[in-house]
Amino acid sequence: MSAPAGTTPAAAAAGDLAVHPAWLPDAAFAALGARRVTVEIPAREWPAMSAQVAQTVRAEVAAATAAHGGAVVGAHEDPDVVLAVVPHSDNDPESFVFVRDAGSTRITAADPRGLLYGLFHLVRLGEAAFEGEHEVERHAPHTPLRMLNHWDNIAVHPVMGQVERGDSGGSIFYADGKVRADLTRVGRYARLLAAAGVNRVSINNVNVGHLETRLLGDLLPEAARIADVFRPYGITTHLSVSWAAPVRLGGLTTSDPADADVRRWWAEAADRVWAAIPDLGGFVIKADSEGQPGPFAYGRSHADGANMLAAAVAPHGGLIHWRAFVYDHEQDWRDRSTDRAKAAYQHFVPHDGTFADNVVVQVKHGPLDFQVREAVSPAIAAMPRTRVGVEFQVTTEYLGHQKHAVYLGRMWSELLGFAYWGPGSPTMADVAAGGHPDGDGTRIGGLAAVSNVGDDEFWTGHPFAQANLYAWGRLTWNPGADPIAVLDEWIDLTFPGLGDQGREVLHRILDESWETYERYTAPLGVCFMVSPHSHYGPSPDGYEYTPWGTYHFADRDGIGVDRTRATGSGFTAQYPAPWRDVYESPQTCPDELLLFFHHVPYTHVLHSGTSVVQHVYDTHFDGVERVLAARDAWAEAAGHFPAALADRVTERFAEQVRSATDWRDVVNTYFFRHSGIGDERGRAIYR
Amino acid sequence: MSAPAGTTPAAAAAGDLAVHPAWLPDAAFAALGARRVTVEIPAREWPAMSAQVAQTVRAEVAAATAAHGGAVVGAHEDPDVVLAVVPHSDNDPESFVFVRDAGSTRITAADPRGLLYGLFHLVRLGEAAFEGEHEVERHAPHTPLRMLNHWDNIAVHPVMGQVERGDSGGSIFYADGKVRADLTRVGRYARLLAAAGVNRVSINNVNVGHLETRLLGDLLPEAARIADVFRPYGITTHLSVSWAAPVRLGGLTTSDPADADVRRWWAEAADRVWAAIPDLGGFVIKADSEGQPGPFAYGRSHADGANMLAAAVAPHGGLIHWRAFVYDHEQDWRDRSTDRAKAAYQHFVPHDGTFADNVVVQVKHGPLDFQVREAVSPAIAAMPRTRVGVEFQVTTEYLGHQKHAVYLGRMWSELLGFAYWGPGSPTMADVAAGGHPDGDGTRIGGLAAVSNVGDDEFWTGHPFAQANLYAWGRLTWNPGADPIAVLDEWIDLTFPGLGDQGREVLHRILDESWETYERYTAPLGVCFMVSPHSHYGPSPDGYEYTPWGTYHFADRDGIGVDRTRATGSGFTAQYPAPWRDVYESPQTCPDELLLFFHHVPYTHVLHSGTSVVQHVYDTHFDGVERVLAARDAWAEAAGHFPAALADRVTERFAEQVRSATDWRDVVNTYFFRHSGIGDERGRAIYR
């Protein structure tokens, strides 16, 4: 564990890279940096991470005060603000207490890691941190597992590229087939993540290639270099591993979890890995999923597989994040008895209670795959004795590839707040934090999401997609936060000095941008009207008749998937009451999920009072109007933003308008060709 | 021009490569090789190719007689057969005369190249060449331009692979990013082509990458090595070139054909190329086509572009094959006024009469792209003052990827025999040979096709796809040949000693296999119901709403493309009478092209008496039945074939059955979902 390379705040703030500063421009530290600041961290035998974070806190304060006219002072020198590690009543090393009284602002924490989060709390508050009085506020994360998964390949994949489903250029970790020599940018990324609240990062794609498998072998020192860069910001590194590693790397002839040599190989691999990275978080694994190898090949269950790995990493305090994205990707479209939506539940719920204590079963938030609108996954609520983690996607695989301005805070907020047992009951976020009503409170799975960052100048392709990364971190810390207030934080930090007009325009563009995207793409929860493979642009029948299990069965009479117990696939039975009944009937099913749960005629009348087909026309015309309005609003306000950023946004809006118009016309024409029903209002629908 | 490397007949026959001998197994030479053979070629200053072919003829005869007990004897030694170069009444160096009288068989030709074709004529005849009497027969090729185009990349393309649209493994020319050191297999390929009648080969993909551009530069000696291997078999080598070569290779800032530096660069490039390969055939070029650069960027026409290249190569006797596959591949699907089928005609016919004498405008046989059934291209018949070459595809991009048993001889025969001006008028093959009724007889464009060969053990993936390569050569030599008789030749040569049952089964499987493939895939000339990109497997709406210009406009009422003058795109106006009127009316349009020319209701009654939708059901059920019958027939006969070949065929049949069944069910379901009309005979159609 060497000292962090090139990641001092001074270097990070100095703009030495041609990279946008995102939500940590120099000016974000102006209020704090202008103060007289005391940092009190007692000398103690801290764990390595805490010790390094302590250095980071001191360095951040020193850099900010040097830049903005304040000073680092002793406690007796009448500081404006004190950041102090003190004995605490709780033992959450990430929590902190904020208070302001008698003209003094104070952050206290039991561990330097909490102090760092407190520091960034002050940064967010700006001048407000030093005005008036503040009651004592304790801030603690909702869950200790707040993770980003990188789908970065070391070797550029011939089809999927370097960052699978990435839309922000190459990887910040890898270039030219190896770990970058210069990890300065990773250090800056770590700082951004810490300021948003993320504390764990897996650094390679869950589809693990041959080269990436070697991260457990000869490339381990390279992985350790990355971990060294994350550590000073309180971020734990995880590795994605291949189930086939014992064969690929160890030369064994099997990966059977019951095989003693396999178990020994993994135990020795874990010994080796933790020797190199003593505080590694653990392994993420995609097994028996979309062609990846897994325990099924040996007649073993996912519990067998996960527990075998868990045993190997347990002596080191490691976790296994075992993904539940297991389904038949070679389904026969003619087989109406198979419903991909049921797969995660079917594969994992029977094993509830059998997973080891250090296994997190990581379930996607919806039963399909990160659609703009799908039901929540019932599997999340069905394993009270399992650590269930929930997986989201910050990268916008199905949501416009960071070419469209789509803010996802509201979508995540709605999902995280979904009350599985009816109003007032524990939410998705609660379950992820161990709060299943039938659980014992210890089964904490946490929250994970696929990162949207690449080596792009603005990190995220579309500069506004930075807001998604920021919001992801903030919502993992506090799922109950108002996502529009979070957006406001991002605006304040990212665009210091932006006037009211600029702020108002950003809200106008972004606040309801998720709903806008839904309006011009796949309607009413029907899902998967995207172009196969790329997942960008419309192709209403693109997944019909494929082996992927994602169909909508449109014919001349109607559309949608009957997932009822009465006449359909029976998927509704996987939900607890009341949802199993709410979704079962088209009379009670929410409009926005109607086609997810029911096959209905085009003339079916929604709760809104319009027919399905007219709803499609109305929302699609309106969706494009909204995009045009957003583009026009941007055109008026662009001058308030830095020119390079403004140019990028303007360029993206041109593509969004083109794409949204194409979506509108394709979807409208598709529904017209199938239904034969024209638009009530006589707008143009191509034949 | 060095001596051919590793291409002696003895080496080729000795089975030194683990490669199937195709239609030239050792046994094919048994009849000839058992005879006393005289070869008489006068010493003369032959052109290099003729001189080397003379060596080849002698070596072939020597090897055959050595292997089969005959002998090379002098003319006075009572030969059974004489192969002699003699002064001829015509000056076609490829023609030969065959005669048998007084117990002696005689091949005469004016040039060793004709003698080589005569030699392979004897091989095809086998014992029959030495029995009874034969009238004097003159054999001459229909056209002197009988070409194969290889779409082989030197560098493996990340999406398209090494051989674009290839289904037979890697390239026989290239491996590991360079020309193979060992070209033995290319020599064997040259021999197979000569035995089939092909005399020109372009050796790299028309989509020319940066590495392949260097074939005009530092890689030129490597291209010369390949030409050296083709030359002894009378085969002329061509190169595909990039329009952007002056920029990529020459460092110029433009490729404008009006620019003096560009013209000079090409002239110097031609000087350099012909210095290395003095008998190079010329350049093939895909310009302004599917993203390839071309003269449009400079406001120049295709005539400007082609003539500029033509001027550069004319001093060397070179040809420019300028492809007419020019269309808007970024079409707006909403734009019903644009019809891709019209594009080749629109772009090229206005320039008729302006192309240089050494330009061949190479037009695909159909107006779209090698579909199982499409109309013939009207552009072929519309340029009497232009050398029009016709392009076919031996590789089965849209015809089953050499996983399905599909013999294309009948398809090509039908197309080549299409009489553009009504029954008895000149055919497509006639036009390609300079026989346009309004032409002067000199405008010979010839026939070209994309090769189906790769480094596969059986050359062509499906062993039966060898028959397509063979038939392609034979039909370019004689377009009027009976394609089933050609298939018989292939069977005789390839499977010596095969009994009647085996032969009968091969005919049962292959004779109508093109029609079978049509029956289970896209019906009635509707085209493009394939999966986008891969072009394998069904996706009825796969190209609907795309930018590719290939739509069928299916809705709940009907399907098909209205290309009439009266109400549609007006494409029918591009045909001469009578076809412009035959195709114009659904009453006279042939059933098999109905949906190519007309948008009709599903209930439209065909000439056959059945409705469109019932026709779809009937043909699709029947198509799969035929595939099953073929598979079963094969299972009975497989034991008559070599085990490795039989295993490969059996494996392919399993995939063909799976795929054909999928096609049947997807297409039937698609028509059912759209029409709501069930099968009259109550067979299973999935909903």
Side-chain angles (χ1 to χ4, degrees):
Chain A
M1 239 179 285
S2 63
T7 57
T8 67
D16 54 319
L17 292 175
V19 169
H20 188 262
W23 51 88
L24 291 182
D26 197 37
F29 293 82
L32 175 67
R35 263 67 190 189
R36 297 165 56 77
V37 189
T38 294
V39 179
E40 293 186 326
I41 303 174
R44 196 185 299 169
E45 276 292 314
W46 294 108
M49 177 179 282
S50 297
Q52 293 188 21
V53 172
Q55 288 182 1
T56 300
V57 172
R58 293 186 194 281
E60 287 282 357
V61 168
T65 50
H68 296 284
V72 179
V73 299
H76 53 283
E77 296 179 272
D78 191 22
D80 301 312
V81 51
V82 176
L83 296 153
V85 168
V86 298
H88 242 261
S89 61
D90 67 46
N91 55 13
D92 180 347
E94 297 186 316
S95 71
F96 64 90
V97 168
F98 167 65
V99 64
R100 177 171 174 82
D101 57 22
S104 172
T105 297
R106 196 170 171 80
I107 295 284
T108 57
D111 186 286
R113 293 160 63 195
L115 213 55
L116 181 66
Y117 289 119
L119 170 71
F120 285 121
H121 183 69
L122 296 182
V123 169
R124 273 193 299 277
L125 289 174
E127 285 298 332
F130 309 103
E131 294 165 353
E133 305 277 302
H134 286 286
E135 297 277 300
V136 172
E137 289 175 0
R138 175 174 180 261
H139 294 259
H142 182 75
T143 167
L145 299 174
R146 307 180 304 281
M147 192 170 191
L148 282 170
N149 298 145
H150 276 265
W151 287 357
D152 297 25
N153 301 311
I154 304 179
V156 176
H157 188 282
V159 175
M160 304 309 290
Q162 184 166 28
V163 181
E164 183 163 329
R165 302 305 176 187
D167 297 294
S168 313
S171 169
I172 61 171
F173 302 118
Y174 315 112
D176 304 323
K178 49 184 190 288
V179 174
R180 289 174 183 270
D182 180 357
L183 294 174
T184 309
R185 184 155 184 182
V186 176
R188 199 168 302 184
Y189 179 54
R191 185 173 181 242
L192 289 169
L193 294 188
V198 170
N199 71 348
R200 289 168 186 267
V201 172
S202 65
I203 60 170
N204 62 302
N205 190 0
V206 289
N207 292 319
V208 181
H210 280 78
L211 180 56
E212 293 77 8
T213 303
R214 288 166 47 197
L215 287 170
L216 296 180
D218 62 317
L219 298 184
L220 188 49
E222 297 297 294
R225 286 180 52 232
I226 296 175
D228 288 346
V229 177
F230 277 120
R231 190 176 296 106
Y233 285 95
I235 295 170
T236 299
T237 298
H238 295 239
L239 294 176
S240 296
V241 300
S242 168
W243 179 258
V247 175
R248 289 185 188 169
L249 219 56
L252 303 188
T253 56
T254 177
S255 294
D256 185 345
D259 184 281
D261 288 338
V262 172
R263 302 179 75 86
R264 189 178 313 117
W265 187 87
W266 276 110
E268 290 171 2
D271 292 346
R272 202 167 58 233
V273 170
W274 266 268
I277 313 174
D279 57 0
L280 188 84
F283 297 154
V284 179
I285 182 160
K286 175 178 183 177
D288 288 320
S289 171
E290 297 183 331
Q292 292 296 319
F296 281 172
Y298 307 100
R300 314 297 173 192
S301 74
H302 283 274
D304 296 333
N307 291 342
M308 185 267 287
L309 292 182
V313 305
H316 310 286
L319 291 176
I320 300 300
H321 280 83
W322 188 277
R323 295 176 84 237
F325 189 51
V326 177
Y327 68 97
D328 181 0
H329 70 289
E330 292 179 344
Q331 183 176 334
D332 189 329
W333 62 272
R334 290 162 290 214
D335 168 19
R336 294 289 282 262
S337 70
T338 299
D339 179 1
R340 172 169 159 181
K342 296 164 72 174
Y345 188 110
Q346 288 171 325
H347 284 296
F348 285 87
V349 172
H351 300 292
D352 184 37
T354 71
F355 289 101
D357 285 348
N358 58 331
V359 171
V360 171
V361 175
Q362 186 165 310
V363 186
K364 292 194 180 190
H365 66 71
L368 291 181
D369 193 17
F370 302 133
Q371 300 300 290
V372 65
R373 178 78 72 175
E374 58 178 308
V376 298
S377 171
I380 293 168
M383 293 184 275
R385 295 178 294 157
T386 301
R387 298 176 68 167
V388 175
V390 186
E391 181 176 308
F392 294 75
Q393 209 178 37
V394 187
T395 194
T396 53
E397 176 178 351
Y398 297 94
L399 286 139
H401 286 202
Q402 297 178 169
K403 293 173 182 162
H404 298 220
V406 182
Y407 175 60
L408 297 173
R410 282 164 64 104
M411 174 181 173
W412 296 331
S413 182
E414 183 176 308
L415 291 166
L416 289 164
F418 181 83
Y420 269 101
W421 295 268
S425 72
T427 64
M428 182 186 287
D430 292 336
V431 173
H436 192 290
D438 300 330
D440 64 7
T442 67
R443 314 274 85 192
I444 298 171
L447 299 169
V450 184
S451 178
N452 65 340
V453 155
D455 69 0
D456 171 58
E457 174 187 356
F458 297 100
W459 297 92
T460 54
H462 201 309
F464 296 169
Q466 288 178 5
N468 290 330
L469 187 62
Y470 181 81
W472 171 252
R474 296 291 288 146
L475 291 172
T476 61
W477 182 282
N478 178 13
D482 172 3
I484 302 303
V486 169
L487 180 60
D488 238 4
E489 291 177 9
W490 175 75
I491 295 171
D492 273 343
L493 290 167
T494 306
F495 304 109
L498 183 68
D500 285 348
Q501 193 204 349
R503 167 187 305 281
E504 187 272 331
V505 163
L506 288 182
H507 277 292
R508 198 143 34 106
I509 291 170
L510 294 173
D511 282 5
E512 297 188 15
S513 54
W514 165 50
E515 292 88 339
T516 295
Y517 188 83
E518 181 184 22
R519 287 175 92 76
Y520 63 76
T521 59
L524 299 167
V526 75
C527 300
F528 276 95
M529 285 193 163
V530 289
S531 296
H533 311 304
S534 80
H535 298 170
Y536 186 76
S539 181
D541 257 11
Y543 276 92
E544 216 63 18
Y545 314 112
T546 72
W548 294 97
T550 47
Y551 317 117
H552 53 60
F553 307 111
D555 62 17
R556 71 199 316 266
D557 300 316
I559 185 169
V561 189
D562 185 350
R563 293 192 159 108
T564 65
R565 306 188 286 286
T567 56
S569 73
F571 171 63
T572 59
Q574 293 185 348
Y575 287 92
W579 299 109
R580 52 188 287 117
D581 301 314
V582 169
Y583 293 143
E584 175 74 7
S585 163
Q587 305 316 314
T588 52
C589 182
D591 280 353
E592 70 268 18
L593 289 172
L594 181 68
L595 302 182
F596 194 88
F597 285 104
H598 299 279
H599 187 90
V600 300
Y602 297 111
T603 52
H604 176 91
V605 177
L606 300 168
H607 302 305
S608 69
T610 49
S611 68
V612 164
V613 62
Q614 188 61 39
H615 172 88
V616 169
Y617 298 153
D618 289 346
T619 52
H620 283 71
F621 284 113
D622 182 60
V624 171
E625 289 303 316
R626 292 179 184 209
V627 173
L628 292 171
R631 179 200 59 185
D632 294 346
W634 170 252
E636 282 174 37
H640 299 297
F641 294 82
L645 182 141
D647 288 349
R648 176 71 72 86
V649 173
T650 300
E651 164 213 315
R652 301 270 148 161
F653 263 121
E655 167 56 16
Q656 187 177 2
V657 167
R658 185 208 63 76
S659 176
T661 305
D662 198 38
W663 268 103
R664 175 194 70 191
D665 291 337
V666 169
V667 172
N668 283 352
T669 295
Y670 183 86
F671 276 80
F672 174 74
R673 286 186 183 175
H674 281 72
S675 72
I677 299 169
D679 173 39
E680 282 174 3
R681 295 172 52 193
R683 292 162 291 193
I685 294 178
Y686 298 87
R687 309 246 141 179
Chain B
M1 240 179 283
S2 62
T7 57
T8 67
D16 53 319
L17 293 174
V19 169
H20 187 263
W23 51 88
L24 291 182
D26 196 38
F29 293 81
L32 175 67
R35 263 68 190 189
R36 298 164 55 79
V37 188
T38 294
V39 178
E40 292 185 326
I41 304 175
R44 197 186 297 171
E45 276 294 312
W46 293 107
M49 176 178 283
S50 297
Q52 293 188 21
V53 172
Q55 287 182 2
T56 301
V57 171
R58 292 184 195 284
E60 288 282 357
V61 168
T65 51
H68 297 285
V72 178
V73 298
H76 55 284
E77 296 179 272
D78 193 21
D80 301 311
V81 51
V82 175
L83 296 153
V85 167
V86 297
H88 240 262
S89 60
D90 67 46
N91 54 13
D92 179 347
E94 298 186 316
S95 71
F96 64 90
V97 168
F98 167 64
V99 64
R100 179 172 172 82
D101 57 23
S104 172
T105 296
R106 196 169 171 82
I107 295 283
T108 58
D111 186 286
R113 294 158 65 194
L115 213 58
L116 181 65
Y117 290 119
L119 169 72
F120 285 121
H121 182 70
L122 296 182
V123 169
R124 274 193 299 277
L125 290 173
E127 285 297 333
F130 310 103
E131 293 166 354
E133 304 277 302
H134 286 287
E135 298 278 301
V136 172
E137 288 175 1
R138 175 173 181 260
H139 293 260
H142 182 74
T143 166
L145 299 174
R146 306 180 307 280
M147 192 169 191
L148 281 170
N149 298 144
H150 276 265
W151 288 357
D152 296 26
N153 301 310
I154 303 178
V156 176
H157 187 282
V159 175
M160 304 309 291
Q162 185 167 25
V163 181
E164 182 162 331
R165 303 305 178 186
D167 298 293
S168 313
S171 169
I172 58 170
F173 302 118
Y174 315 112
D176 305 323
K178 50 185 191 288
V179 174
R180 289 175 182 269
D182 180 357
L183 293 174
T184 309
R185 184 156 184 182
V186 176
R188 199 168 301 184
Y189 179 54
R191 185 174 181 243
L192 288 169
L193 294 188
V198 171
N199 70 349
R200 289 168 186 267
V201 172
S202 65
I203 61 171
N204 62 302
N205 190 359
V206 290
N207 293 317
V208 181
H210 280 76
L211 181 56
E212 293 78 8
T213 302
R214 289 166 47 198
L215 286 171
L216 296 181
D218 62 316
L219 298 184
L220 189 48
E222 296 298 294
R225 285 179 53 232
I226 296 175
D228 287 345
V229 177
F230 276 120
R231 189 175 297 106
Y233 284 96
I235 295 170
T236 299
T237 297
H238 295 239
L239 294 176
S240 296
V241 299
S242 168
W243 179 257
V247 175
R248 290 187 186 166
L249 219 56
L252 303 188
T253 56
T254 178
S255 294
D256 185 345
D259 186 280
D261 288 339
V262 172
R263 302 179 76 85
R264 189 177 313 115
W265 188 89
W266 276 111
E268 289 171 2
D271 291 347
R272 200 167 59 234
V273 171
W274 265 269
I277 313 176
D279 57 359
L280 188 84
F283 297 155
V284 179
I285 182 160
K286 174 179 183 176
D288 288 320
S289 172
E290 297 183 332
Q292 293 297 319
F296 281 173
Y298 307 100
R300 314 297 172 190
S301 73
H302 283 274
D304 295 334
N307 291 342
M308 185 267 288
L309 292 182
V313 306
H316 310 286
L319 290 176
I320 299 301
H321 279 82
W322 189 276
R323 294 177 84 237
F325 190 51
V326 178
Y327 67 97
D328 182 359
H329 70 288
E330 293 181 342
Q331 183 177 336
D332 189 331
W333 63 271
R334 290 162 289 212
D335 168 19
R336 294 291 280 264
S337 70
T338 299
D339 179 0
R340 172 169 160 182
K342 296 164 71 174
Y345 187 110
Q346 288 171 326
H347 284 296
F348 285 88
V349 172
H351 299 293
D352 183 36
T354 71
F355 290 101
D357 285 347
N358 59 330
V359 171
V360 170
V361 174
Q362 186 164 310
V363 186
K364 292 193 180 190
H365 67 71
L368 292 180
D369 193 17
F370 302 134
Q371 301 298 290
V372 65
R373 176 79 70 175
E374 58 178 307
V376 298
S377 170
I380 292 167
M383 293 184 274
R385 294 177 297 157
T386 301
R387 298 176 68 166
V388 175
V390 186
E391 181 175 308
F392 293 74
Q393 210 178 37
V394 186
T395 194
T396 54
E397 176 178 352
Y398 297 94
L399 286 139
H401 286 201
Q402 298 179 169
K403 294 173 179 161
H404 298 220
V406 182
Y407 174 59
L408 297 174
R410 281 164 64 104
M411 176 182 173
W412 296 330
S413 181
E414 183 175 309
L415 290 166
L416 289 164
F418 181 83
Y420 268 101
W421 294 267
S425 70
T427 64
M428 182 185 286
D430 292 334
V431 173
H436 192 291
D438 301 329
D440 63 6
T442 68
R443 312 276 83 192
I444 298 170
L447 299 169
V450 184
S451 179
N452 66 340
V453 155
D455 69 359
D456 170 59
E457 175 188 355
F458 297 100
W459 298 91
T460 54
H462 201 310
F464 296 169
Q466 289 179 4
N468 290 329
L469 186 62
Y470 181 80
W472 170 253
R474 295 290 288 144
L475 291 172
T476 60
W477 182 283
N478 177 16
D482 172 4
I484 302 305
V486 169
L487 180 60
D488 237 5
E489 288 177 11
W490 175 75
I491 296 171
D492 272 344
L493 290 168
T494 306
F495 304 109
L498 183 69
D500 285 347
Q501 192 204 349
R503 166 187 306 280
E504 186 273 331
V505 163
L506 288 183
H507 278 292
R508 196 141 39 104
I509 290 170
L510 293 174
D511 283 4
E512 298 188 14
S513 54
W514 165 50
E515 292 87 340
T516 295
Y517 188 82
E518 181 184 21
R519 286 175 92 78
Y520 62 76
T521 60
L524 298 167
V526 75
C527 299
F528 276 95
M529 285 192 163
V530 288
S531 296
H533 311 304
S534 80
H535 298 171
Y536 187 76
S539 182
D541 257 11
Y543 276 92
E544 215 63 18
Y545 315 111
T546 72
W548 293 97
T550 47
Y551 316 118
H552 54 59
F553 307 111
D555 63 16
R556 73 200 314 267
D557 300 316
I559 186 169
V561 189
D562 185 348
R563 293 193 159 108
T564 64
R565 304 188 287 285
T567 56
S569 73
F571 170 63
T572 58
Q574 294 185 347
Y575 289 91
W579 297 108
R580 52 188 287 117
D581 302 313
V582 169
Y583 294 143
E584 175 73 8
S585 163
Q587 305 317 314
T588 52
C589 182
D591 280 352
E592 69 267 20
L593 289 172
L594 182 68
L595 302 183
F596 193 89
F597 285 104
H598 299 278
H599 187 90
V600 299
Y602 297 111
T603 52
H604 176 92
V605 177
L606 300 168
H607 301 305
S608 70
T610 50
S611 68
V612 164
V613 62
Q614 188 60 39
H615 172 89
V616 169
Y617 299 153
D618 288 345
T619 52
H620 283 71
F621 284 113
D622 181 60
V624 172
E625 289 303 314
R626 290 179 185 209
V627 173
L628 293 170
R631 180 200 59 187
D632 294 345
W634 170 252
E636 280 174 37
H640 298 298
F641 293 84
L645 183 142
D647 288 349
R648 176 72 71 85
V649 173
T650 300
E651 164 213 313
R652 301 270 148 160
F653 264 120
E655 167 56 15
Q656 185 176 2
V657 166
R658 185 208 63 75
S659 176
T661 305
D662 199 36
W663 268 103
R664 175 194 71 193
D665 291 338
V666 169
V667 171
N668 283 350
T669 295
Y670 183 86
F671 276 80
F672 175 74
R673 286 186 183 176
H674 281 71
S675 70
I677 300 169
D679 173 39
E680 280 173 5
R681 295 171 53 191
R683 291 163 293 193
I685 294 179
Y686 298 87
R687 309 247 140 179

